[in-house]
Amino acid sequence: MSGKYFNADNAQSMGYKRVLLVEDDVRIADFVRRGLKAESYAVEVARSGQEAITIGSVGQFQVIILDLGLPDMNGREVCGLLRSQGVDTPILMLTARDTVQDKVTGLRSGADDYMTKPFAFEELLARIEVLMRRQRGGDSKPEASNELRVADLVLNGETHEVRRGEAAIELTPKEYALLECLMRMSGKMLSRTRILEQVWGYSSDPLTNVVDVYIRQLRRKIDDGHELKLLKTVRGFGYKMDAS
């Protein structure tokens, strides 16, 4: 835990979304914290159940991400104690325990969602966003389009169809996930490490060249034969999707 409690007012004034991450695995905690920070979340990390109860009961968070396997108590106990103290912050359980009974028990203890490790960072983000919308009581605005567009490249998130102009593009599931990641961050540079984390999950080997291999395959499918090249290499950094 940091030397002082999370300052919710300061974070809110800076435009941050507030998350309490309860995780004793340093590697996973650092991965999630860095990823959320890059998405403009302010993250407080608790390493034990008691820390989680202390911080979670006094801090103003929009989501609590809670591991089950904590050193001093079970995450379900933490969840139950927080709920008994009147804490109604949405709780997302993040754990390696993936049996149906584990999930049922976790949800019945007061959790709002349950996600198993290993996980894709993009899915974690999506689940956090859903919990935040639910906490706000829904959104009065119409749902945003499921389509992503960069120039004449279109990805339909509902049908999983991809087109460049009038031509349909066939992608493997991993190529699709990579393209979706790049298009959602259109115009922004993404490092290989960031792509690995978001598309392959935190357990991927950062030294692997899998990103470069898939980028080549994706570039061949979406850019070959087109004068405007959308998938660009940022030398010394990584890649970006850009129509300029």
Side-chain angles (χ1 to χ4, degrees), residues 39-171:
E39 299 295 329
S40 296
Y41 286 84
V43 183
E44 179 80 1
V45 178
R47 306 290 186 188
S48 68
Q50 190 55 58
E51 281 188 9
I53 293 168
T54 301
I55 302 172
S57 60
V58 299
Q60 297 179 16
F61 298 95
Q62 289 163 299
V63 173
I64 297 173
I65 302 173
L66 176 61
D67 183 32
L68 282 185
L70 298 170
D72 55 342
M73 65 178 73
N74 189 285
R76 288 189 292 269
E77 296 177 79
V78 175
C79 185
L81 287 168
L82 286 172
R83 293 302 189 223
S84 70
Q85 293 180 17
V87 176
D88 60 359
T89 306
I91 294 176
L92 167 61
M93 285 189 173
L94 185 63
T95 175
R97 303 179 188 180
D98 60 357
T99 68
V100 171
Q101 188 56 49
D102 284 326
K103 295 176 183 179
V104 169
T105 304
L107 293 170
R108 284 179 174 168
S109 71
D112 298 271
D113 200 359
Y114 193 106
M115 189 172 176
T116 57
K117 304 173 185 174
F119 59 91
F121 188 75
E122 281 294 303
E123 182 182 358
L124 176 63
L125 276 179
R127 287 174 182 255
I128 291 173
E129 289 164 3
V130 167
L131 290 176
M132 290 175 63
R133 283 201 303 271
R134 191 180 301 166
Q135 185 187 36
R136 293 195 302 265
D139 203 331
S140 59
K141 297 179 181 179
E143 289 188 12
S145 170
N146 282 323
E147 284 191 347
L148 296 175
R149 290 178 176 268
V150 178
D152 59 344
L153 178 65
V154 180
L155 180 149
N156 188 307
E158 189 171 322
T159 64
H160 283 204
E161 293 177 332
V162 177
R163 307 186 71 86
R164 179 92 195 252
E166 297 300 318
I169 300 173
E170 296 294 328
L171 299 177

Side-chain angles (χ1 to χ4, degrees), residues 7-28:
N7 190 322
D9 292 333
N10 286 349
Q12 186 172 26
S13 67
M14 295 171 64
Y16 283 106
K17 297 157 282 188
R18 307 178 300 279
V19 172
L20 172 61
L21 172 62
V22 187
E23 175 62 70
D24 65 319
D25 187 309
V26 175
R27 184 174 65 93
I28 297 175

Side-chain angles (χ1 to χ4, degrees), residues 224-240:
D224 280 6
H226 295 273
E227 183 178 352
L228 177 61
K229 309 300 183 185
L230 301 177
L231 184 46
K232 298 176 180 171
T233 300
V234 182
R235 200 168 299 278
F237 187 88
Y239 302 97
K240 70 175 178 177

